[in-house]
Amino acid sequence: MIVTRFAPSPTGLLHLGHALAAIIAHESGDDFLLRIEDIDKGRSRDKFIEAIFFDLKWLGLSWDEPTLRQSTRMGAYAEALANLKARGLVYPCFCTRAEIAQEIARAGEAQHGPEGPLYPGTCKSLSVEEGLRRIAAGENHALRLDVSKATKQTGPLTFREHGHIHPVDPLRFGDIVIARKDMPTSYHLAVVVDDAYQQVSLVTRGEDLLSAAHIQRLLQALLKLPEPVYAHHPLVLDDQGRKFSKRDGAVTLQSLREAGLTPADIRARIGI
Ligand code: GLU
């Protein structure tokens, strides 16, 4: 049995790109689940959750209950984080964005990953005592995963996609933030914990998240979670060939509906 999921963040209205992702996930699975990725309390809004339900039903998609809200899952993320911490795979990072930018500028060069320059590792060299002292002094900090140490624990990994086996390259992101300054988890940690909890066997999502599979596969291996298969689909592009974003109000499903388009028109527009 194939279990798929659609996992939107309720930080805006759904657009054509989401419609494609949701329809592909719906059509690829025997069971189709919905997960609301609302760990970012500052940006998530209940009105957008209501709008997600409304838009999906309008598209004719139904999902298996219960709908999972990540904001109810903080205990599970804390447990996973404690596991990584206990194995010495996590270190506190006190750097601000500005300090990271300055450090990169000072070094004159930086390794680049899919999301820009990699973290230069400033706080990795702090001693455990120094880290604990600064935490005790109430200094704001994120937690980062020591990716090279983690990779040594797992050994080489692969992930499966469309019948291909890809070697995992987790170092391409550098030492990712595993728990943010403002929340005790991160996107990558919450996703792998919940894909396992919801027994998702096929992760379908846009090809902009292809790189995420590398780091998420590493986290699955570290946390001994089952390995899903991945399928990445092309993004829906606007007339200028750019990917849609939530800022493009004109292409939200709500605005298209209000302009008189039908669900069949939406499918025709995204070619599915
Ligand atoms: N919540 C993410 C988004 O809205 C998707 C996460 C995923 O599919 O893994 O872009």
Side-chain angles (χ1 to χ4, degrees):
M1 195 180 64
I2 299 175
V3 181
T4 57
R5 56 30 168 214
F6 175 54
S9 308
T11 55
L13 291 169
L14 299 188
H15 53 63
L16 288 171
H18 292 110
L20 179 66
I23 292 170
I24 287 180
H26 184 258
E27 291 181 359
S28 306
D30 304 303
D31 279 358
F32 169 62
L33 304 175
L34 177 61
R35 182 166 75 228
I36 304 295
E37 301 213 321
D38 58 347
I39 52 174
D40 191 336
K41 290 206 187 81
R43 293 174 59 223
S44 298
R45 299 281 177 274
D46 282 348
K47 68 173 182 185
F48 293 132
I49 299 179
E50 291 307 318
I52 289 168
F53 296 157
F54 191 93
D55 284 342
L56 292 180
K57 285 183 195 151
W58 179 70
L59 286 171
L61 308 182
S62 57
W63 58 96
D64 296 303
E65 293 291 352
T67 299
L68 190 66
R69 282 187 66 161
Q70 289 195 320
S71 54
T72 65
R73 299 269 303 146
M74 291 298 171
Y77 311 143
E79 228 174 86
L81 189 59
N83 175 331
L84 299 174
K85 270 191 196 170
R87 286 149 66 190
L89 296 176
V90 162
Y91 63 88
C93 172
F94 304 90
C95 299
T96 60
R97 278 174 201 273
E99 283 163 354
I100 294 174
Q102 275 164 16
E103 179 64 32
I104 289 169
R106 210 176 9 247
E109 52 172 15
Q111 264 184 293
H112 275 68
E115 289 166 356
L118 300 187
Y119 177 62
T122 320
C123 285
K124 195 172 174 171
S125 52
L126 292 180
S127 66
V128 174
E129 294 71 36
E130 171 73 352
L132 290 174
R133 188 192 62 70
R134 290 175 69 172
I135 292 171
E139 243 186 274
N140 246 348
H141 64 282
L143 295 174
R144 288 186 182 269
L145 183 69
D146 184 336
V147 175
S148 48
K149 194 166 174 189
T151 308
K152 282 192 198 102
Q153 286 197 6
T154 61
L157 296 167
T158 56
F159 71 90
R160 286 174 293 156
E161 188 198 29
H162 299 308
H164 294 289
I165 298 195
H166 296 280
V168 165
D169 171 20
L171 291 167
R172 61 168 63 191
F173 282 100
D175 286 350
I176 55 149
V177 169
I178 199 84
R180 285 173 33 171
K181 281 186 182 166
D182 56 344
M183 67 173 79
T185 186
S186 65
Y187 159 66
H188 293 299
L189 184 64
V191 164
V192 297
V193 169
D194 286 342
D195 280 340
Y197 175 71
Q198 293 188 287
Q199 299 180 19
V200 173
S201 58
L202 175 63
V203 172
T204 62
R205 56 191 178 191
E207 60 192 11
D208 54 336
L209 286 171
L210 174 62
S211 303
H214 291 262
I215 196 75
Q216 293 182 9
R217 183 69 201 99
L218 174 69
L219 289 172
Q220 286 154 6
L222 289 170
L223 296 167
K224 305 220 170 349
L225 300 174
E227 176 189 353
V229 174
Y230 291 88
H232 296 93
H233 55 81
L235 300 178
V236 182
L237 301 178
D238 67 13
D239 297 339
Q240 276 98 50
R242 293 174 315 201
K243 99 176 201 199
F244 284 122
S245 85
K246 285 178 178 158
R247 289 178 294 276
D248 290 321
V251 292
T252 65
L253 298 180
Q254 188 185 79
S255 61
L256 294 170
R257 181 167 56 240
E258 283 166 7
L261 271 73
T262 65
D265 297 328
I266 300 291
R267 282 176 179 261
R269 172 67 183 81
I270 57 183
I272 195 163

